Amino acid sequence: MIQDISLNKIQVRDLEESLIDDYFKDEDAQKGLSSSLDYYQVLFEQKARNNFDNIRKNENEEIQDKVISSFNIHFVKAMTYAFIKGHQLAFKIVFDEGNTSFKADAFANQNSRSLFLFALYKYFPKNDLEEYIKGPKVNYLINYGTKYFENMFSIIIEDAMVFLKKGIELALTQINQEVHKDSQEKYEISSLLSVPLSQKFNVTPALDGGYALGNKNFEVWDIYWNDTYGPIKSQSRMATMLIKEYSFEELQNNITKQEQRFKVLNLFLSRSQIDVTQNFFYVDFMLIANKENLNVENNDFEKKKMFESLTQKLVDCSNLPVSNILFNM
């Protein structure tokens, strides 16, 4: 329970239902869930295609596509269900008088919300949580996966746990807003891309970033798996990103000087769709994590999806067109 706040079970239920309803009615608010569903659904489909059972492997492409299409629909329904169950679970833990007593500012910043997620198994053992999310929609996805694929059970449970934790994160943010209705979380932001200087921020549905250094012309971000992947992965830097802003003239000048790392720009700047009236981001992405930190089976595919999401993050932060962002990998 939260200190100095007393709610009975009916009040807690009503508050949770009201807040999750408000969330789904707000198109801007639920963009985070929508982008997560899109991100993980694409990866899920790739894993499914690699795990057709022996019967389906020999079917023609049209039949396989129909099976995958239905699987994708039920994936979205199941992960949305897991998200909602996570939201409900957070309210149960926070307002249960039998659990830990939380201070009023317990969820006031990202770090404290992270600690709650990392301590989740303290409140519910992992096996209990897996049973908790196996409602009708997740069970249907599991049964469908068992019927047409091999080795999909653990993948489905793993993804459902990610969405359960995302639901918990939303609930903790909303609870903090309810407790502190007259105050907003304040933090300094960077000059170039307006990201927080002193706490992690969302970069993609799977990754968080941390501002390292920079000025009005460049920034360095440390990249981590987000909190849904657990304390070990989320606290170990998996990559570093250097984002440097250039004008069209500056890029041309660097090409003229024949600097090695800018040679690829000859091809980049030949694109017909680039906007030479706007600046460009040249991004050095330096992967620190070994391949075990990516899904080995879908390594290249997962990286492609990751870079698409990273590019979109830079577009959102800068309003530059996608065509004006180049990754050097």
Side-chain angles (χ1 to χ4, degrees), residues 43-58 64 67-68 71 144-156 295 297-298:
L43 298 181
F44 182 78
E45 176 178 332
Q46 186 67 14
K47 293 171 186 175
R49 288 188 181 278
N50 290 337
N51 283 281
F52 273 119
D53 64 18
N54 290 330
I55 296 176
R56 250 54 61 169
K57 281 179 182 176
N58 297 318
Q64 289 181 346
V67 172
I68 289 291
F71 208 23
Y144 191 98
T146 303
K147 182 177 180 180
Y148 294 102
F149 305 89
E150 296 176 350
N151 306 316
M152 289 302 293
F153 175 81
S154 61
I155 294 172
I156 292 169
N295 186 290
E297 189 176 74
N298 302 297

Side-chain angles (χ1 to χ4, degrees), residues 161-178:
M161 290 295 289
V162 166
F163 280 89
L164 175 114
K165 292 174 182 178
K166 287 182 179 293
I168 290 174
E169 288 178 321
L170 171 65
L172 297 181
T173 301
Q174 290 178 325
I175 289 171
N176 181 66
Q177 291 169 346
E178 286 295 305

